[in-house]
Amino acid sequence: MTSYNHAYVWLVIIVASLGCIQWGYTDTIPSSVIGYIGDFLFPGISVSKLSLIASILPIGGALGALLGGRLATKFGRRKILLVTDFITLVGVPLTLISNYESIVIGRLFEGISIGFNSSVVPLYILESVPMQIKGRSGIIPTVLLICGCVLAYTLGFLVPTSLSPGDTNNAWRICLSVVAIFPILRIFFLVLILKLDTPQYLILKNQDEKALLHLQRIYGTDAHLELTRLIKERELANLRQSEGMVSVRDLFSQRFRKVFFIGCILSLIYRWCGLNGIFIYSKYIFAGGKEDTSGTIPQAFSVALGLIELGFTVIASLTVDRFGRKRQLIPTLYLLGLVMVLYSTISLIDSPDNIVAKVMILLWPAFYSLSTGGITFLYMGEVLPDLGMGIATLLNWISAFIISQFFMDWARAIGLPGVFFLFAGITIITTVILQKYMVENKGKTKQEMWAIYNGTKKVNSAPSVAEKLEKASEINENPEEQENPGNHADPPVNSEV
């Protein structure tokens, strides 16, 4: 197993993932401030206009996702991360003005930056870290995203639920401005410390010398081994044409259509399992579907919701490399659907205010984190070409807009039990599809996964490039095994489909 500079690699991961703290915080903060904005800033505002403050974010996210993959391929991962942070710093001040249109436009800018982050952060991380920690490193953005959610819920305690006539309170501005901290920090590190783009991107652009410089910071004296592997992949897979110039038509060709289909399915279930409805309207859900969400109890339940998701996301980061992506995803996704069925059934028998129903909602983030929450963007980043990643993420954001904008309308029309029966049905049907068609990618490179999905390579064929390199590295570290090759078994190949 190739050694690497732990401090530098984890710095790369955390700096890139600052955009995910921003994502989680910006996505969730409406839950804490939207009641105040509706009651005191713009009294009498319609529910649809108030919902737009939350749902405009996914519109911006969709625009950012549509452009993010292409721009990251043309200009580089690092440059697009910097552009992303400057867009955020344009949007935040607009949200602090007591004007409805200004807040909506500011949220649109924040959404665009989040769309860039959702496409580019996984690429930046996965192309910078050693093979042996790709699983754990891919979970870190999700962990920090949930930290952003918890922070947003916690700061919600600062926002008053009532005001005396003539009084004002600026806690809502504090809540909406905190998010600026994260892009400022990332700009600092990208400009002063992380000055090179990812090694894989530099090789893609034929900048092998710069790639070697970056690889030396990661692997030290072993950098040449990784450089050789990346150059060989480029030559064998013809990455100069295929990875950098994949078109929309290519995504529907035999080479990419199956992997693109799975990526889109994963991207959709990430939202359609109920994510935006639960996290944006958590106070409404924990108030039992009542319009009055004042008081600290719904806010406290919301904080607990975020903390539970955070804890289980950490657990997912420890298990995903051990069990593999598909092996962990399928059973936990079924359990996620079951939890929503139980919530809806209990709510119909009694009411959504039933304590057991609330416990079911508190169980939801546990299975969500172990399933789609912890695996979707990790797997997509590992198997999709840049353009495919951008389009799949675009679908993700369109779904987020639909759920954020219309969740309250659905809840009023068919009740919370009906809404969660809908989410449960979508979750279970999607899981059946993924169980049949998704391929386990543990220990395999992106190019190998393309070959498996398009049928030119069998899942249980020869060991992957990653496995061969790991085995060769282990033999080099233990030369006595070279003298007794019979004592060194071939690495196991994961045969799960």
Side-chain angles (χ1 to χ4, degrees), residues 389-427:
M389 183 74 178
I391 293 177
T393 309
L394 170 65
L395 294 176
N396 183 286
W397 283 113
I398 292 173
S399 300
F401 166 75
I402 294 170
I403 297 168
S404 301
Q405 181 65 32
F406 299 110
F407 179 86
M408 291 297 294
D409 293 329
W410 297 340
R412 289 174 176 177
I414 60 177
L416 285 174
V419 174
F420 280 94
F421 269 132
L422 172 66
F423 290 149
I426 293 172
T427 300

